[in-house]
Amino acid sequence: LHAPTHRLQRVGRGDLLGLLMSDVNRSSFALSQGIRTLQGALALAVYGVGVIVVASTGAIPLLLGLAATAAAALLQRSDAERLGALHSRLNAALHRTVGDGLHGLKGLRAASAEGWWLGRFGHDTERFRRLLLQIRRRQAVFTGLRDALAVLVVGGWLLFGGGGELGREAILTTLALTYRAAGLLSAVIQSRRLFLGDLPGYRELIRIRHRLGTPIPAASLTGQSGSVAEPIHAPLTVVAASGRGPIRRLRLEPASLTAVVGPSGVGKTTLLDAFCGLLVGPASEWRIDGPPGRSRRWTAEAADAWRRGIAYAPQETVLFEGSLLDNLLLGRLDRREEEIRRWFEILALQEILERPGG
């Protein structure tokens, strides 16, 4: 899933984590259970027809066993679709709590709010545990009802003379076939319930996929419609159209500072995000109007080429798990590592880089 920054920010952290950690797997599992349901139904049909054709009299308890299994399914409904949708919501809530705790760990400890966060985590975990227990309980009740009804129905048939003309071995064989048929139908019902229970995971995947919009082809992520120009020591006009509003222009003077000011919420960050290529839409483009022959233009497909020509310090900084050099370089190795090491020596901080793991 690849999407512009502004679309990713519309989807909650818990929804994204829940999607990646659970709903993708649930979608695959739902597909496999749907196929297994069809396979089981076909096998049951072949099995039932075969028994009926070979032994019409002995097929009566088999049909009774199937009827008992179907009755158990009607008496103990799984409510799989509703519970599956609740599973997706609780899964997202649990991942949101964990993600918030990891992302804001320093803030939690600074405010001595670990107890509040642990209480929230415990509440979400308890709700998730109750849901799983409810699903397992319904399954156990269905299995118990199926076995009890099958024994009662087939036992009643035998007691009231249904198996009088059958020998002992024939009765035992009939009972084994009946239990086998009931097990096949039960497997079909179970697979169907698992399919319906995990189908909301696939719906959640589709919902988030729709909110993120059409993915950018992988080949376009490295495409360029212009190379980053060398520094220009002359006034420049930068034009940015992010595909989300009016075209924005910004005049930049060489060797100077330009400040964007305004009240909170007026759109200063959005303006900078548009210029920095973070709000990528199908109609996005950037253009630098400079001296003759020095103008450049980038389209949405080459947004990464535009971003490589500028430096942007976001308002919120996140430290990634890894060494200090990893966080400073973020994959840009070339000659910057030597420069950083030189600065660490100037600042007498080189021992930090010499620590185990950096």
Side-chain angles (χ1 to χ4, degrees), residues 158-176:
L158 291 173
L159 287 175
F160 290 103
E165 57 189 42
L166 299 176
R168 182 178 178 180
E169 292 184 358
I171 291 177
L172 292 176
T173 303
T174 301
L175 291 176

Side-chain angles (χ1 to χ4, degrees), residues 47-66 153-154 157-158 161-167 169-182:
Y47 181 79
V49 170
V51 172
I52 293 174
V53 171
V54 172
S56 56
T57 303
I60 295 177
L62 182 145
L63 297 176
L64 292 175
L66 294 178
V153 171
V154 177
W157 176 76
L158 291 173
E165 57 189 42
L166 299 176
E169 292 184 358
I171 291 177
L172 292 176
T173 303
T174 301
L175 291 176
L177 292 175
T178 300
Y179 189 80
R180 171 65 175 165

Side-chain angles (χ1 to χ4, degrees), residues 70-93:
L74 292 175
L75 290 174
Q76 180 57 44
R77 296 182 178 275
S78 66
D79 205 9
E81 196 163 0
R82 182 186 67 83
L83 293 178
L86 182 58
H87 186 182
S88 290
R89 291 198 298 271
L90 293 182
N91 182 59

